[in-house]
Amino acid sequence: MFFLAASEAEYGKSPRIIRFADTSGTPFSLMPMFRILVLQSLHDFSDGQMEFQIPDGLSFMCFLGLSMEDTVPDAETIWHYRETFTCIFR
């Protein structure tokens, strides 16, 4: 909850979506992106490995709340969100 409040105060935007998008132009909500960063940290994956592992592992998809039809963020989008989260918690 702290993150949602911090992101709203920091950016003056809705805390649910930050408009970083992958190459398809699809914005991603904060909670799945935060969970992606948690998984990435726990498994020590690079951004590129995380992009590959999400659709490959059904358990990852379930944890992230994504269905098989949902768009998976690319490595650059994961990087952008990590940088944003890092700036908020400095």
Side-chain angles (χ1 to χ4, degrees):
M1 280 310 215
F2 173 76
F3 172 73
L4 296 179
S7 67
E8 187 172 20
E10 181 78 19
Y11 294 101
K13 298 179 182 177
S14 168
R16 303 256 181 245
I17 294 178
I18 295 177
R19 294 288 175 185
F20 292 126
D22 66 353
T23 53
S24 68
T26 306
F28 296 98
S29 63
L30 290 178
M31 191 52 71
M33 292 305 298
F34 182 75
R35 289 178 179 179
I36 286 172
L37 296 176
V38 168
L39 286 174
Q40 187 177 25
S41 174
L42 289 173
H43 295 282
D44 199 26
F45 289 147
S46 69
D47 295 338
Q49 288 173 317
M50 199 67 218
E51 179 183 2
F52 173 77
Q53 291 294 332
I54 292 170
D56 192 49
L58 187 57
S59 61
F60 282 5
M61 296 287 281
C62 289
F63 177 71
L64 299 173
L66 300 175
S67 68
M68 299 302 280
E69 295 82 29
D70 289 336
T71 304
V72 174
D74 62 2
E76 186 175 344
T77 302
I78 295 170
W79 177 81
H80 279 293
Y81 272 89
R82 186 177 51 258
E83 291 298 311
T84 301
F85 291 155
T86 303
C87 289
I88 289 172
F89 289 114
R90 280 189 191 172

